[in-house]
Structures are given as C-alpha cells and as structure tokens.
Amino acid sequence: MTNLQEDSSTKADRHATRFVPGQPDMWVFVLFESLLFTGYFSVYLVGRIQNRELYLQSQAALDLRFGVFNTIALLLSSWAIARCVQASREGAYRDALRDAFLTIGFGVAFLVSKVLEWGKEIRLGNTFTSNEFFQHFFFLTSIHLLHLLIGFIVMGVAVYQLRSPARRSQQLVETCATYWHTVDFLWVLIFALLYVVR
Amino acid sequence: MSADQVASFYRDETARIRYSMILFNWFGVGLIPTVMLLAMQVRRMAHRTPIMSYSLIACAGGPPCLFLIANMFWLLGSFRPERAPELTQLLNDLAWITFTILVPYLIAQCLLLALAIYWDRQERPVFKMWVAHFNLLVAVALAPAAFTALTFTGPLAWDGLLSFWVKNIAIAAWIVVMGGVLGQSILRQRAEERIAA
Amino acid sequence: MSPLRRLLWNFRNHPKRELWFAWWVMVVFYQLYGVLFFLVTRVQPPPSPAWTTPMIVQWFDARHDGILAGFGIVFLISGLCAPMNALLAYSMRRMSVSRIFGYSYLVMYSLSAIPGMLVMAVAMTVGAMRPDRDPEMIRWLYDFAFLSFSGTMGVFMIGSLVWLVAILIDKNDVFPKWFGYLGLCNALTEVVVAPAWIFQRGVFAWNGAIAWWINMVVFVTYTACFIVLLRKMIVREDFGTGPLPDLPSKPERSQADSVGAMQ
Amino acid sequence: MSGTFNKRLAIVWLVLTAMTLAYIWLDHSADEDGVLKASTVVTVAAIVIALVKVRIIFREFMEVRHAPVLLRRLTDAWVVLMAAFLLGSYFIGSALVG
C-alpha cells in the first residue's frame, strides 16, 4: 500500500485538478451505509466474544474457498467497473460498455456462488435459525446480496447511460461505479469477519 | 361487565348483532365517496396548494378500514357464541377499542375541513362560514371518545353518555348536515359552470 | 405588532400558510410520538419477547394507567398524520415527476398509521384494560402489539422507495440527491426487522440490537433529515412548476418575507 | 494516458487479490493440528488487512486519491472510525467477558 501512496503524490498528480468522482451525494450513502454495517459488525463481534466456542465450531462448517472465490469475483468486478469509468472518461464508449458488462458478469458469478454456498450450508443443516453464528452469517450475507441485487439495477442505469450518445453522463457512470465499489468493500469486510476472524 | 355477562350477551343477542353488523359491513365504506366529494370541493377553494385536499384524501381510507376490522371482531364474536367466555370478551374488547380509533380520523377530518373553510377567502366561498363552526363543534363532541378505555363506568365508558351517545349523534348529525351542504354546493358549482360555458 | 398578533396574522394571510401548517403539524406529531411512546406509556424501548407470562402480566400492571391514558392521546392525535402525509405528497407534486408518485405515497402512508401504531395501540390498550384477564391472552396481546409495530415493514419500505425514486429522477431539485440515497438506507433497514417474526431472543428479536436499536438510529436520522429538508423546500417554494430556486441569502429572505407580508 | 491508468488498476487488483489469498495462509496458521482455537492475533490481523483493503479500494478504485482534500480526509477518518468500532467492540467485549 505504501508504494501506491508514494505514486499518488507525484508532482504531475498533485497539479491535476481535484474532483469528486460521481455525484457528491452518493458519498453520503457510502459513508452512512458503511457506518451502518460497522454497527452490524460490532454487534456480531460482541456476540462472538460471549460465545467463542460456538462461533468457532460453526465457523468451521464454512468453506473458505467459497469466501475467497467470492471476494476475488467481486474484486474483479470492481476492477472492471474502474476500467469502465476510465474508458468512458476518455470517450472509449465501446470499451466502457464491454467493461460494464464484465462487471455485471462477475457480479452474477458472485451471486451464483453465494447461492450455491447457501444451498450447501442448508444441506448441512445450518440454517438461519440453527444458532447465533448462522443467524449472523445468513443475515450479513443476505443483506449484502440485497445490495448486490440493487447493484444490478444501478449497473443497468450505467449501461443505459453508456449506450446512447445522447444520454452519456460521465457523472452518473461514476456515481454507479461508486455504488458498486461500496458493495465490493462491504463484502471485503464481511468476508474477513465471517470466515477468518478467530 | 364480566366475561360471562359479555358472553351471555353475545349468546342472547346473536341475531341482532349479526344482522346489524352485516348491514354496517355493507355500508361502512360509503364514507369514502363522501369524503372524496368534500376533498374535491376543497380543491376549488382559494388555496395556493392542494395540501388541504390531500389531507382529506389521506383521512378518507383510515376510518372504513378500521371500522371493517372492528366489524369483523364483532361478527367473529357472534359467529360461535358458545366458545369460552374469556375469548368472546377478548373479541368484544378488541372490537370496541378498534371502533374507538375511528374517532381521531373523524376529528382530523372535521378540523381540516374547518381550517380549509376559514382559509377560503374569496367573494363567493365554496362553503359558508357556519359549516366551519359546525365542524369544529363536531370535533369537540368527538374528542372525549378517544379516552374510552380509561374507565368502564361513567360518561367516558364506551356505552357512556360522552363516548357513545354524544359521539354517535355527532357522527350522524355530521353525515346529514354535510350531505345537505355538499349537495347544495355541487348544485351551485354546476350552475356556475353552465353560466361559464 | 405583538408576537401573538403577528402569528395570528401570518396564520390567516401568509402565502405559504398551508405549507407551514403541515410542517408544524409534522414537527409536533413526531415530538408527541416520542414523548408518548417513550415517557408516558413507556412501551418503548421494547421489552424482551423472551419473557415469561407472569413477567408480562407484571409489565402491563406497572404501566396500566400510562398505557390507557397515553394511548388515549395517541388515538386523539393520530389524525395529525394526514397533513403530514399531504406535505410529503406535495413535495412530490412539486417535482418534475409524474403525479403517480405523489398519489401512491399519499394513499400508502395514509394507511401506514394502522400497522405502524394503531394496531399496537389497540392491542396494548386491550391488554392493559383488564388486568384480571387470562394471562395467556395478555401474552398474546403483548406479542400482537410488538410484532405488529416492529414487524410491519412493507408499507414503509415501498413508501421510501417511491419517494427515493421520485427524488432521484426529479429535475426540479426539490430535494438533494443524497437524501434519495439515504432513503435507500432507510428502506434497507426495514428489511432487517423481518427476523423479529422468527426469533424470541438475541439481536434479531423485536428488542434486539440490530432489529431495533440500529434501525431506530437510522429512522430518527432519516426523519430529522426530511423535516429539515421539507422546511428548506417550503422556504424555497415559489409556486411555479420549474426548478425550485436556491435558498435565498439572509437579507433577501427577510425582504421577501416583508414583501409577502405586504401583499 | 489510458495505458498507465489500466496498468495501475491491474496492479491494484493484484495487490488486493494477494491480500485475499493471504487470508488462506492466515486461516491455516491459526489452527494447531486441526484444533480450532480463538486467536486475538488472527482476529486483529484479519480486521486490519480488511481495512487496509478498504482503504485501497477507496483510494484507487473509487478515485478518492484525485478527490478534494475534504473527501480524502473523510474517507481516511472513516477507515479509522471503522477500525475503532471493530477493534473496540472486540477488545472491550473481551475485557468484559474476562
């Protein structure tokens, strides 16, 4: 991370004009929503400490491979949408559109793998009502999946914008991208907390 | 009344409760078109925004909806009057309290209408001023009925002077008077439109 | 002019009297709502769904008078919802969007008071009314009250979705877009209360940290935001159909007020 | 211009993915001979890595690095705030449980 930061403070960069990506209004959502999820996470961590053994045993029933695959799928989609924003900023709308569809594709991969994972857990007998850990597991994953589904609508808006020359609004595309990245980084946190934390 | 008394009332008066409530079930919703007519008249008033007519529309749905719930509790109570008295009493309580909640909507309707009329300052107002005063009076008459649950005896109890007689007479008077006033103002509206046309 | 006479004069003649009336009704309603539910009836914050029947009966006994008197006042004032919803519907009418939004919102929210608080008020009143009732029935009324209050989400979820879509596609700039996005947060917290129907204890029960406390914080934030934003909307209102003008600066505004007063 | 941007984004993605894979190693190192064990080190490491990833996503993918100072400070403050909440609830909770 440090070397990336050093890169960012090169002179050329510092003189570039500063701008807020997308509607500044979307950032209110990003910050508020991450605060809300921080609340959910804190409740989860406190519950976890009070009943370590149960959480550890239940957590062992999760498959880390699903978690890693899902994280990488979402990181890929985030990467694609970031490229999409760059391409559309430079006027390469065909590339931008392709990247937008890639984003949706990786999102669908995440969705499918998530549903498969749920199916697997339910077959193992671990459901929403099984125990406290799985309450949190199903709650956090499904509320996140809801954000992802809304994300598909948001990506629909982005594609709609990119499709026609008359509509193209760089600001809206960036706003949609900001939303999608939010879905991504929330998952990064959920993944760490549900699968890795001991 | 004790649970047994309530239950025996439902047993003895089954038929009366059933038929009267079925009748109310048919016609309770009739209040909605009346309030809608009022809302449309309010729309013609000298206001700058449709807020007052929107408020009346917002008031229109609540009372019939609540009344139907209360109505169902009564009918359920009289459907199998031989059940445990405690259950009949519960249904009876639920019905009466739900019926009581109609009151705030009606009060709000009257107050909003009165306010709308006071604000309707034009050469030939849609409603005359006394209609506003009448609505205020009805609102005041209805207010005590909101506190029915506080006591089982005296004027506030649900069969008491204030909560039952004053309230229901006020509602009946409101329907009759407002029906007349509405009819008049609609006739006038049509006459005016004919002249304008 | 004395303040009272000025107030009366404004009440009769102010060009925005209907808007201000609805706005003040809204402020008063939410204040009373908080006071009645938290202080007079003391039914909020909610007790635990995991309690045993004797504890529930005792809970009702301790609140007997508060519940009966408090919900009496709730009954009396619940009509205040109407001008409040009318104002919200009016905000959508002022936008550049179809009338569908305003009217759907108006009808949805005019019925929302029933699951939102009136059913709870009925169940609580019936529960407190006869302390000698069969404890099992009191327990049923207790569940009925809290589940109807916490567990009815659809109206509020779809309602905030309607409002947020209207805000996002509006071109008249009636509300800032961030409030639309905040509406999405609020709609999502309405989803989160659904587990209250399933769990009798823990963070997802009707008194849980997630299903109640976090949601309450979001709801209060959302409500406070729209009260302030509606006030701004009324100040900016020009009774036209185009974009709402920006908030006038202080001296301009007092001038505009006195012009309004002259008319 | 486009080339450097895309290269940079690719590097960012690689770094993020590498950090994700590091979790697998972290997960394996946590258990001794297949016995599950609660571990403060793993917990704190997992949370810190996740927050570092969040910050990278903020700065690079979400382009906060080009944003006005206010937004840059705000997002940084947010990462700190989240860290404080998560680690705080973990440690305070642990202290209370004893």
mmCIF file of all heavy atoms in Angstrom, chain C residues 16-54:
data_model
loop_
_atom_site.group_PDB
_atom_site.id
_atom_site.type_symbol
_atom_site.label_atom_id
_atom_site.label_comp_id
_atom_site.label_asym_id
_atom_site.label_seq_id
_atom_site.Cartn_x
_atom_site.Cartn_y
_atom_site.Cartn_z
ATOM 1 N N LYS C 16 -47.708 31.110 2.362
ATOM 2 C CA LYS C 16 -47.368 29.691 2.471
ATOM 3 C C LYS C 16 -48.007 29.057 3.697
ATOM 4 O O LYS C 16 -47.502 28.096 4.255
ATOM 5 C CB LYS C 16 -45.848 29.534 2.546
ATOM 6 C CG LYS C 16 -45.162 29.943 1.255
ATOM 7 C CD LYS C 16 -43.667 29.873 1.364
ATOM 8 C CE LYS C 16 -43.053 30.329 0.040
ATOM 9 N NZ LYS C 16 -41.600 30.442 0.143
ATOM 10 N N ARG C 17 -49.148 29.634 4.135
ATOM 11 C CA ARG C 17 -49.716 29.182 5.420
ATOM 12 C C ARG C 17 -50.017 27.689 5.410
ATOM 13 O O ARG C 17 -49.774 26.997 6.392
ATOM 14 C CB ARG C 17 -50.991 29.980 5.714
ATOM 15 C CG ARG C 17 -52.034 29.721 4.654
ATOM 16 C CD ARG C 17 -53.117 30.737 4.578
ATOM 17 N NE ARG C 17 -53.940 30.342 3.439
ATOM 18 C CZ ARG C 17 -54.934 31.033 2.946
ATOM 19 N NH1 ARG C 17 -55.261 32.166 3.499
ATOM 20 N NH2 ARG C 17 -55.611 30.581 1.919
ATOM 21 N N GLU C 18 -50.531 27.143 4.297
ATOM 22 C CA GLU C 18 -50.882 25.723 4.292
ATOM 23 C C GLU C 18 -49.640 24.859 4.466
ATOM 24 O O GLU C 18 -49.647 23.867 5.195
ATOM 25 C CB GLU C 18 -51.571 25.351 2.977
ATOM 26 C CG GLU C 18 -52.931 25.973 2.804
ATOM 27 C CD GLU C 18 -53.035 26.716 1.494
ATOM 28 O OE1 GLU C 18 -52.800 26.098 0.443
ATOM 29 O OE2 GLU C 18 -53.323 27.918 1.534
ATOM 30 N N LEU C 19 -48.549 25.279 3.785
ATOM 31 C CA LEU C 19 -47.308 24.503 3.883
ATOM 32 C C LEU C 19 -46.749 24.562 5.289
ATOM 33 O O LEU C 19 -46.356 23.543 5.868
ATOM 34 C CB LEU C 19 -46.293 25.041 2.883
ATOM 35 C CG LEU C 19 -46.672 24.857 1.424
ATOM 36 C CD1 LEU C 19 -45.755 25.661 0.527
ATOM 37 C CD2 LEU C 19 -46.594 23.390 1.062
ATOM 38 N N TRP C 20 -46.727 25.771 5.856
ATOM 39 C CA TRP C 20 -46.174 25.882 7.214
ATOM 40 C C TRP C 20 -47.041 25.146 8.223
ATOM 41 O O TRP C 20 -46.528 24.517 9.155
ATOM 42 C CB TRP C 20 -46.024 27.356 7.622
ATOM 43 C CG TRP C 20 -44.843 27.994 6.981
ATOM 44 C CD1 TRP C 20 -44.852 29.062 6.140
ATOM 45 C CD2 TRP C 20 -43.472 27.590 7.102
ATOM 46 N NE1 TRP C 20 -43.575 29.347 5.726
ATOM 47 C CE2 TRP C 20 -42.709 28.464 6.294
ATOM 48 C CE3 TRP C 20 -42.815 26.583 7.792
ATOM 49 C CZ2 TRP C 20 -41.332 28.369 6.173
ATOM 50 C CZ3 TRP C 20 -41.444 26.473 7.681
ATOM 51 C CH2 TRP C 20 -40.720 27.355 6.881
ATOM 52 N N PHE C 21 -48.347 25.214 8.008
ATOM 53 C CA PHE C 21 -49.249 24.487 8.912
ATOM 54 C C PHE C 21 -48.902 22.999 8.896
ATOM 55 O O PHE C 21 -48.700 22.375 9.939
ATOM 56 C CB PHE C 21 -50.697 24.718 8.457
ATOM 57 C CG PHE C 21 -51.685 23.731 9.003
ATOM 58 C CD1 PHE C 21 -52.057 23.770 10.338
ATOM 59 C CD2 PHE C 21 -52.236 22.744 8.183
ATOM 60 C CE1 PHE C 21 -52.959 22.854 10.842
ATOM 61 C CE2 PHE C 21 -53.130 21.829 8.679
ATOM 62 C CZ PHE C 21 -53.493 21.883 10.011
ATOM 63 N N ALA C 22 -48.789 22.417 7.699
ATOM 64 C CA ALA C 22 -48.497 20.990 7.606
ATOM 65 C C ALA C 22 -47.135 20.680 8.207
ATOM 66 O O ALA C 22 -46.953 19.669 8.886
ATOM 67 C CB ALA C 22 -48.543 20.543 6.146
ATOM 68 N N TRP C 23 -46.171 21.586 8.002
ATOM 69 C CA TRP C 23 -44.835 21.326 8.529
ATOM 70 C C TRP C 23 -44.839 21.333 10.057
ATOM 71 O O TRP C 23 -44.270 20.450 10.697
ATOM 72 C CB TRP C 23 -43.855 22.377 8.005
ATOM 73 C CG TRP C 23 -42.441 22.058 8.354
ATOM 74 C CD1 TRP C 23 -41.638 21.164 7.715
ATOM 75 C CD2 TRP C 23 -41.675 22.608 9.429
ATOM 76 N NE1 TRP C 23 -40.418 21.125 8.330
ATOM 77 C CE2 TRP C 23 -40.407 21.998 9.378
ATOM 78 C CE3 TRP C 23 -41.933 23.550 10.426
ATOM 79 C CZ2 TRP C 23 -39.396 22.299 10.287
ATOM 80 C CZ3 TRP C 23 -40.927 23.841 11.322
ATOM 81 C CH2 TRP C 23 -39.679 23.228 11.255
ATOM 82 N N TRP C 24 -45.534 22.315 10.637
ATOM 83 C CA TRP C 24 -45.577 22.363 12.107
ATOM 84 C C TRP C 24 -46.331 21.172 12.677
ATOM 85 O O TRP C 24 -45.967 20.629 13.719
ATOM 86 C CB TRP C 24 -46.195 23.687 12.578
ATOM 87 C CG TRP C 24 -45.173 24.770 12.595
ATOM 88 C CD1 TRP C 24 -45.068 25.802 11.728
ATOM 89 C CD2 TRP C 24 -44.069 24.883 13.496
ATOM 90 N NE1 TRP C 24 -43.968 26.562 12.031
ATOM 91 C CE2 TRP C 24 -43.328 26.026 13.107
ATOM 92 C CE3 TRP C 24 -43.616 24.137 14.591
ATOM 93 C CZ2 TRP C 24 -42.180 26.434 13.777
ATOM 94 C CZ3 TRP C 24 -42.474 24.550 15.264
ATOM 95 C CH2 TRP C 24 -41.771 25.686 14.851
ATOM 96 N N VAL C 25 -47.393 20.758 11.984
ATOM 97 C CA VAL C 25 -48.104 19.555 12.429
ATOM 98 C C VAL C 25 -47.136 18.383 12.477
ATOM 99 O O VAL C 25 -47.115 17.599 13.438
ATOM 100 C CB VAL C 25 -49.284 19.254 11.478
ATOM 101 C CG1 VAL C 25 -49.769 17.844 11.682
ATOM 102 C CG2 VAL C 25 -50.409 20.233 11.726
ATOM 103 N N MET C 26 -46.290 18.293 11.456
ATOM 104 C CA MET C 26 -45.343 17.186 11.410
ATOM 105 C C MET C 26 -44.374 17.241 12.582
ATOM 106 O O MET C 26 -44.120 16.226 13.246
ATOM 107 C CB MET C 26 -44.586 17.247 10.085
ATOM 108 C CG MET C 26 -43.546 16.191 9.958
ATOM 109 S SD MET C 26 -43.217 15.880 8.249
ATOM 110 C CE MET C 26 -42.171 17.205 7.909
ATOM 111 N N VAL C 27 -43.826 18.421 12.844
ATOM 112 C CA VAL C 27 -42.880 18.554 13.955
ATOM 113 C C VAL C 27 -43.555 18.166 15.272
ATOM 114 O O VAL C 27 -43.030 17.367 16.054
ATOM 115 C CB VAL C 27 -42.343 19.995 14.024
ATOM 116 C CG1 VAL C 27 -41.509 20.193 15.273
ATOM 117 C CG2 VAL C 27 -41.536 20.302 12.780
ATOM 118 N N VAL C 28 -44.755 18.728 15.482
ATOM 119 C CA VAL C 28 -45.461 18.450 16.737
ATOM 120 C C VAL C 28 -45.767 16.965 16.841
ATOM 121 O O VAL C 28 -45.596 16.344 17.902
ATOM 122 C CB VAL C 28 -46.766 19.281 16.796
ATOM 123 C CG1 VAL C 28 -47.645 18.818 17.938
ATOM 124 C CG2 VAL C 28 -46.437 20.745 16.941
ATOM 125 N N PHE C 29 -46.195 16.376 15.731
ATOM 126 C CA PHE C 29 -46.541 14.954 15.757
ATOM 127 C C PHE C 29 -45.348 14.109 16.180
ATOM 128 O O PHE C 29 -45.467 13.259 17.065
ATOM 129 C CB PHE C 29 -47.031 14.499 14.382
ATOM 130 C CG PHE C 29 -47.283 13.029 14.302
ATOM 131 C CD1 PHE C 29 -48.453 12.493 14.810
ATOM 132 C CD2 PHE C 29 -46.351 12.170 13.750
ATOM 133 C CE1 PHE C 29 -48.688 11.141 14.756
ATOM 134 C CE2 PHE C 29 -46.577 10.816 13.693
ATOM 135 C CZ PHE C 29 -47.753 10.297 14.198
ATOM 136 N N TYR C 30 -44.188 14.345 15.583
ATOM 137 C CA TYR C 30 -43.050 13.495 15.933
ATOM 138 C C TYR C 30 -42.589 13.724 17.367
ATOM 139 O O TYR C 30 -42.169 12.783 18.048
ATOM 140 C CB TYR C 30 -41.894 13.688 14.943
ATOM 141 C CG TYR C 30 -42.069 12.832 13.711
ATOM 142 C CD1 TYR C 30 -42.269 13.383 12.471
ATOM 143 C CD2 TYR C 30 -42.070 11.448 13.811
ATOM 144 C CE1 TYR C 30 -42.451 12.586 11.355
ATOM 145 C CE2 TYR C 30 -42.254 10.650 12.712
ATOM 146 C CZ TYR C 30 -42.443 11.218 11.482
ATOM 147 O OH TYR C 30 -42.634 10.430 10.394
ATOM 148 N N GLN C 31 -42.687 14.970 17.847
ATOM 149 C CA GLN C 31 -42.330 15.215 19.247
ATOM 150 C C GLN C 31 -43.266 14.434 20.168
ATOM 151 O O GLN C 31 -42.832 13.718 21.068
ATOM 152 C CB GLN C 31 -42.434 16.703 19.588
ATOM 153 C CG GLN C 31 -41.549 17.594 18.762
ATOM 154 C CD GLN C 31 -40.098 17.234 18.921
ATOM 155 O OE1 GLN C 31 -39.674 16.796 19.971
ATOM 156 N NE2 GLN C 31 -39.319 17.373 17.862
ATOM 157 N N LEU C 32 -44.575 14.585 19.907
ATOM 158 C CA LEU C 32 -45.548 13.916 20.765
ATOM 159 C C LEU C 32 -45.376 12.405 20.699
ATOM 160 O O LEU C 32 -45.473 11.699 21.702
ATOM 161 C CB LEU C 32 -46.961 14.283 20.313
ATOM 162 C CG LEU C 32 -47.493 15.608 20.814
ATOM 163 C CD1 LEU C 32 -48.855 15.870 20.220
ATOM 164 C CD2 LEU C 32 -47.589 15.582 22.333
ATOM 165 N N TYR C 33 -45.115 11.917 19.485
ATOM 166 C CA TYR C 33 -44.933 10.489 19.268
ATOM 167 C C TYR C 33 -43.825 9.965 20.181
ATOM 168 O O TYR C 33 -43.998 8.987 20.908
ATOM 169 C CB TYR C 33 -44.562 10.291 17.802
ATOM 170 C CG TYR C 33 -44.549 8.887 17.303
ATOM 171 C CD1 TYR C 33 -45.722 8.284 16.897
ATOM 172 C CD2 TYR C 33 -43.353 8.182 17.183
ATOM 173 C CE1 TYR C 33 -45.706 6.995 16.394
ATOM 174 C CE2 TYR C 33 -43.342 6.901 16.679
ATOM 175 C CZ TYR C 33 -44.515 6.308 16.286
ATOM 176 O OH TYR C 33 -44.505 5.041 15.794
ATOM 177 N N GLY C 34 -42.686 10.667 20.165
ATOM 178 C CA GLY C 34 -41.568 10.263 21.013
ATOM 179 C C GLY C 34 -41.947 10.294 22.479
ATOM 180 O O GLY C 34 -41.753 9.331 23.227
ATOM 181 N N VAL C 35 -42.552 11.415 22.907
ATOM 182 C CA VAL C 35 -42.890 11.568 24.319
ATOM 183 C C VAL C 35 -43.890 10.489 24.747
ATOM 184 O O VAL C 35 -43.718 9.853 25.790
ATOM 185 C CB VAL C 35 -43.476 12.973 24.567
ATOM 186 C CG1 VAL C 35 -44.073 13.062 25.953
ATOM 187 C CG2 VAL C 35 -42.401 14.025 24.385
ATOM 188 N N LEU C 36 -44.916 10.261 23.918
ATOM 189 C CA LEU C 36 -45.959 9.323 24.325
ATOM 190 C C LEU C 36 -45.429 7.893 24.397
ATOM 191 O O LEU C 36 -45.713 7.165 25.345
ATOM 192 C CB LEU C 36 -47.131 9.390 23.347
ATOM 193 C CG LEU C 36 -47.985 10.638 23.486
ATOM 194 C CD1 LEU C 36 -48.971 10.729 22.350
ATOM 195 C CD2 LEU C 36 -48.735 10.614 24.806
ATOM 196 N N PHE C 37 -44.658 7.499 23.407
ATOM 197 C CA PHE C 37 -44.220 6.103 23.383
ATOM 198 C C PHE C 37 -43.115 5.827 24.385
ATOM 199 O O PHE C 37 -43.035 4.737 24.941
ATOM 200 C CB PHE C 37 -43.767 5.701 21.972
ATOM 201 C CG PHE C 37 -44.913 5.272 21.103
ATOM 202 C CD1 PHE C 37 -45.777 6.212 20.568
ATOM 203 C CD2 PHE C 37 -45.156 3.940 20.844
ATOM 204 C CE1 PHE C 37 -46.848 5.834 19.791
ATOM 205 C CE2 PHE C 37 -46.229 3.551 20.067
ATOM 206 C CZ PHE C 37 -47.078 4.498 19.541
ATOM 207 N N PHE C 38 -42.239 6.811 24.607
ATOM 208 C CA PHE C 38 -41.092 6.525 25.464
ATOM 209 C C PHE C 38 -41.342 6.930 26.911
ATOM 210 O O PHE C 38 -40.822 6.301 27.816
ATOM 211 C CB PHE C 38 -39.839 7.235 24.942
ATOM 212 C CG PHE C 38 -39.262 6.580 23.738
ATOM 213 C CD1 PHE C 38 -39.749 6.844 22.478
ATOM 214 C CD2 PHE C 38 -38.235 5.656 23.872
ATOM 215 C CE1 PHE C 38 -39.225 6.214 21.366
ATOM 216 C CE2 PHE C 38 -37.706 5.022 22.768
ATOM 217 C CZ PHE C 38 -38.199 5.303 21.512
ATOM 218 N N LEU C 39 -42.114 7.999 27.136
ATOM 219 C CA LEU C 39 -42.220 8.513 28.500
ATOM 220 C C LEU C 39 -43.580 8.252 29.139
ATOM 221 O O LEU C 39 -43.650 7.862 30.300
ATOM 222 C CB LEU C 39 -41.926 10.019 28.510
ATOM 223 C CG LEU C 39 -40.531 10.370 28.003
ATOM 224 C CD1 LEU C 39 -40.337 11.872 27.988
ATOM 225 C CD2 LEU C 39 -39.470 9.713 28.875
ATOM 226 N N VAL C 40 -44.662 8.455 28.393
ATOM 227 C CA VAL C 40 -45.975 8.322 29.035
ATOM 228 C C VAL C 40 -46.371 6.849 29.128
ATOM 229 O O VAL C 40 -46.620 6.324 30.216
ATOM 230 C CB VAL C 40 -47.040 9.125 28.261
ATOM 231 C CG1 VAL C 40 -48.399 8.922 28.908
ATOM 232 C CG2 VAL C 40 -46.683 10.595 28.248
ATOM 233 N N THR C 41 -46.405 6.172 27.973
ATOM 234 C CA THR C 41 -46.824 4.770 28.031
ATOM 235 C C THR C 41 -45.662 3.857 28.418
ATOM 236 O O THR C 41 -45.866 2.753 28.874
ATOM 237 C CB THR C 41 -47.363 4.310 26.674
ATOM 238 O OG1 THR C 41 -46.323 4.482 25.715
ATOM 239 C CG2 THR C 41 -48.553 5.120 26.252
ATOM 240 N N ARG C 42 -44.444 4.316 28.195
ATOM 241 C CA ARG C 42 -43.229 3.535 28.485
ATOM 242 C C ARG C 42 -43.280 2.151 27.824
ATOM 243 O O ARG C 42 -42.852 1.165 28.410
ATOM 244 C CB ARG C 42 -43.009 3.415 29.992
ATOM 245 C CG ARG C 42 -42.542 4.731 30.609
ATOM 246 C CD ARG C 42 -42.263 4.589 32.074
ATOM 247 N NE ARG C 42 -43.470 4.295 32.830
ATOM 248 C CZ ARG C 42 -43.530 3.403 33.801
ATOM 249 N NH1 ARG C 42 -42.456 2.722 34.135
ATOM 250 N NH2 ARG C 42 -44.664 3.180 34.420
ATOM 251 N N VAL C 43 -43.814 2.068 26.610
ATOM 252 C CA VAL C 43 -43.776 0.783 25.912
ATOM 253 C C VAL C 43 -42.557 0.712 24.998
ATOM 254 O O VAL C 43 -42.284 -0.314 24.405
ATOM 255 C CB VAL C 43 -45.044 0.540 25.084
ATOM 256 C CG1 VAL C 43 -46.251 0.500 25.982
ATOM 257 C CG2 VAL C 43 -45.221 1.595 24.019
ATOM 258 N N GLN C 44 -41.818 1.809 24.839
ATOM 259 C CA GLN C 44 -40.579 1.803 24.074
ATOM 260 C C GLN C 44 -39.496 2.360 24.969
ATOM 261 O O GLN C 44 -39.762 3.234 25.755
ATOM 262 C CB GLN C 44 -40.695 2.669 22.816
ATOM 263 C CG GLN C 44 -41.779 2.252 21.859
ATOM 264 C CD GLN C 44 -41.415 1.036 21.047
ATOM 265 O OE1 GLN C 44 -40.275 0.585 21.109
ATOM 266 N NE2 GLN C 44 -42.355 0.478 20.317
ATOM 267 N N PRO C 45 -38.252 1.937 24.879
ATOM 268 C CA PRO C 45 -37.777 0.821 24.065
ATOM 269 C C PRO C 45 -38.449 -0.489 24.474
ATOM 270 O O PRO C 45 -38.796 -0.649 25.651
ATOM 271 C CB PRO C 45 -36.283 0.770 24.356
ATOM 272 C CG PRO C 45 -35.988 1.850 25.324
ATOM 273 C CD PRO C 45 -37.202 2.575 25.638
ATOM 274 N N PRO C 46 -38.628 -1.399 23.534
ATOM 275 C CA PRO C 46 -39.457 -2.571 23.791
ATOM 276 C C PRO C 46 -38.858 -3.528 24.812
ATOM 277 O O PRO C 46 -37.643 -3.661 24.900
ATOM 278 C CB PRO C 46 -39.542 -3.242 22.415
ATOM 279 C CG PRO C 46 -38.402 -2.719 21.647
ATOM 280 C CD PRO C 46 -38.059 -1.374 22.185
ATOM 281 N N PRO C 47 -39.706 -4.176 25.598
ATOM 282 C CA PRO C 47 -39.239 -5.226 26.491
ATOM 283 C C PRO C 47 -38.925 -6.493 25.697
ATOM 284 O O PRO C 47 -39.126 -6.534 24.490
ATOM 285 C CB PRO C 47 -40.426 -5.442 27.421
ATOM 286 C CG PRO C 47 -41.601 -5.066 26.602
ATOM 287 C CD PRO C 47 -41.149 -3.989 25.679
ATOM 288 N N SER C 48 -38.468 -7.529 26.398
ATOM 289 C CA SER C 48 -37.997 -8.706 25.675
ATOM 290 C C SER C 48 -39.155 -9.630 25.295
ATOM 291 O O SER C 48 -40.078 -9.842 26.072
ATOM 292 C CB SER C 48 -37.019 -9.469 26.550
ATOM 293 O OG SER C 48 -36.802 -10.739 26.000
ATOM 294 N N PRO C 49 -39.084 -10.206 24.091
ATOM 295 C CA PRO C 49 -40.082 -11.212 23.721
ATOM 296 C C PRO C 49 -39.869 -12.533 24.445
ATOM 297 O O PRO C 49 -40.728 -13.418 24.387
ATOM 298 C CB PRO C 49 -39.883 -11.375 22.212
ATOM 299 C CG PRO C 49 -38.516 -10.875 21.928
ATOM 300 C CD PRO C 49 -38.187 -9.874 22.982
ATOM 301 N N ALA C 50 -38.739 -12.689 25.124
ATOM 302 C CA ALA C 50 -38.438 -13.969 25.760
ATOM 303 C C ALA C 50 -39.014 -14.073 27.163
ATOM 304 O O ALA C 50 -38.849 -15.075 27.837
ATOM 305 C CB ALA C 50 -36.918 -14.167 25.803
ATOM 306 N N TRP C 51 -39.702 -13.005 27.629
ATOM 307 C CA TRP C 51 -40.201 -13.014 28.991
ATOM 308 C C TRP C 51 -41.236 -14.105 29.226
ATOM 309 O O TRP C 51 -41.959 -14.506 28.315
ATOM 310 C CB TRP C 51 -40.832 -11.668 29.310
ATOM 311 C CG TRP C 51 -39.814 -10.646 29.703
ATOM 312 C CD1 TRP C 51 -38.469 -10.818 29.788
ATOM 313 C CD2 TRP C 51 -40.075 -9.287 30.031
ATOM 314 N NE1 TRP C 51 -37.873 -9.643 30.157
ATOM 315 C CE2 TRP C 51 -38.829 -8.696 30.323
ATOM 316 C CE3 TRP C 51 -41.236 -8.522 30.128
ATOM 317 C CZ2 TRP C 51 -38.713 -7.360 30.693
ATOM 318 C CZ3 TRP C 51 -41.116 -7.195 30.495
ATOM 319 C CH2 TRP C 51 -39.869 -6.619 30.773
ATOM 320 N N THR C 52 -41.329 -14.508 30.504
ATOM 321 C CA THR C 52 -42.362 -15.474 30.866
ATOM 322 C C THR C 52 -43.682 -14.733 31.077
ATOM 323 O O THR C 52 -43.707 -13.517 31.248
ATOM 324 C CB THR C 52 -41.999 -16.184 32.175
ATOM 325 O OG1 THR C 52 -41.857 -15.160 33.173
ATOM 326 C CG2 THR C 52 -40.706 -16.947 32.044
ATOM 327 N N THR C 53 -44.762 -15.505 31.072
ATOM 328 C CA THR C 53 -46.085 -14.891 31.173
ATOM 329 C C THR C 53 -46.255 -14.042 32.437
ATOM 330 O O THR C 53 -46.748 -12.910 32.338
ATOM 331 C CB THR C 53 -47.158 -15.984 31.106
ATOM 332 O OG1 THR C 53 -46.839 -16.826 29.997
ATOM 333 C CG2 THR C 53 -48.520 -15.388 30.889
ATOM 334 N N PRO C 54 -45.861 -14.506 33.627
ATOM 335 C CA PRO C 54 -46.043 -13.640 34.802
ATOM 336 C C PRO C 54 -45.303 -12.312 34.675
ATOM 337 O O PRO C 54 -45.820 -11.268 35.094
ATOM 338 C CB PRO C 54 -45.452 -14.472 35.949
ATOM 339 C CG PRO C 54 -45.449 -15.863 35.463
ATOM 340 C CD PRO C 54 -45.333 -15.815 33.984
#
